[in-house]
Amino acid sequence: SVEALQEFKIQTNAYSAEFGRSAGALVNAVIRSGSNELHGSVYEFLRNSALDATNFFANKNGLAKPFRQRNQFGVAAGGPILKNKTFIFADYEGFREINKFVSFSSIPSLDDRRGLFTVPVRNPLTGEEFPDQVIPADRIDPSATKILNFFYPLPNQGTAASGYGVFQQFLPETRKRQRMDLRLDSEASKNDSLFFRGSYQH
């Protein structure tokens, strides 16, 4: 969580052997520690459909704005357990997001379903071309039509230049995350200090 960061450093090359042999950049992050004074923060970041602009494709096709609900919230606090000796810091962050985004699929067009094609189609039994690139209705298997209708919806955005039917839909996506950190610091002596940190993310 950003509220848990005290400092960070990014190294891109020539770092020492203690950091291994990473090929890309290396990020060192230090979690905040408590102090003799009690400090804390509470925050909420909200983004939803009411605050968003209309999606380009939805606007172009006269459709409603895609739904979005995003909340990122948390709390962080630190202070003393024993003054000048032992300190504690803890934080929690939650994240919830529900989106419905616009998706386009290429599917069989209405002409494809009726057996009307723009390229020559051959009769599989005789090898001859069907006249006018049209498969006669009595040659279309009803079982194949049922399978086609089961797996593919009807196009709702017409036919693309490629000849495929276009189907547009809003697909839902839900994401949830929570994370927390706990840090304990102890000044054992003027020359020695100890700390413990535990982090959890789900």
Side-chain angles (χ1 to χ4, degrees), residues 80-94:
I81 296 177
L82 294 173
K83 194 166 186 178
N84 296 323
K85 184 79 173 171
T86 307
F87 313 98
I88 186 171
F89 174 83
D91 71 276
Y92 168 83
E93 181 176 279

Side-chain angles (χ1 to χ4, degrees), residues 30-176:
V30 179
I31 286 186
R32 289 164 57 184
S33 60
S35 65
N36 276 327
E37 296 181 5
L38 182 63
H39 291 283
S41 60
V42 177
Y43 61 94
E44 160 80 19
F45 172 76
L46 168 70
R47 180 180 174 189
N48 62 24
S49 303
L51 304 173
D52 287 349
T54 303
N55 177 287
F56 171 80
F57 295 105
N59 191 41
K60 180 177 179 289
N61 295 300
L63 299 173
K65 231 189 311 190
F67 177 82
R68 176 190 298 266
Q69 182 71 47
R70 179 183 176 130
N71 293 81
Q72 189 172 354
F73 51 91
V75 61
I81 296 177
L82 294 173
K83 194 166 186 178
N84 296 323
K85 184 79 173 171
T86 307
F87 313 98
I88 186 171
F89 174 83
D91 71 276
Y92 168 83
E93 181 176 279
F95 178 84
R96 310 285 183 270
E97 184 174 41
I98 303 171
N99 286 322
K100 289 185 179 176
F101 59 92
V102 180
S103 170
F104 293 91
S105 302
S106 297
I107 60 174
S109 68
L110 294 176
D111 284 346
D112 293 340
R113 291 169 182 266
R114 292 193 294 259
L116 309 176
F117 295 93
T118 57
V119 295
V121 181
R122 294 186 179 276
N123 185 328
L125 301 177
T126 65
E128 297 177 358
E129 291 183 7
F130 287 114
D132 302 320
Q133 293 88 42
V134 177
I135 300 174
D138 62 345
R139 296 301 312 276
I140 298 176
D141 190 326
S143 298
T145 302
K146 286 182 180 178
I147 292 171
L148 182 68
N149 291 335
F150 180 80
F151 284 107
Y152 293 102
L154 293 173
N156 60 7
Q157 296 297 317
T159 304
S162 60
Y164 289 105
V166 180
F167 182 74
Q168 176 183 289
Q169 61 184 326
F170 288 113
L171 295 178
E173 175 188 52
T174 301
R175 295 192 297 161
K176 294 181 180 180

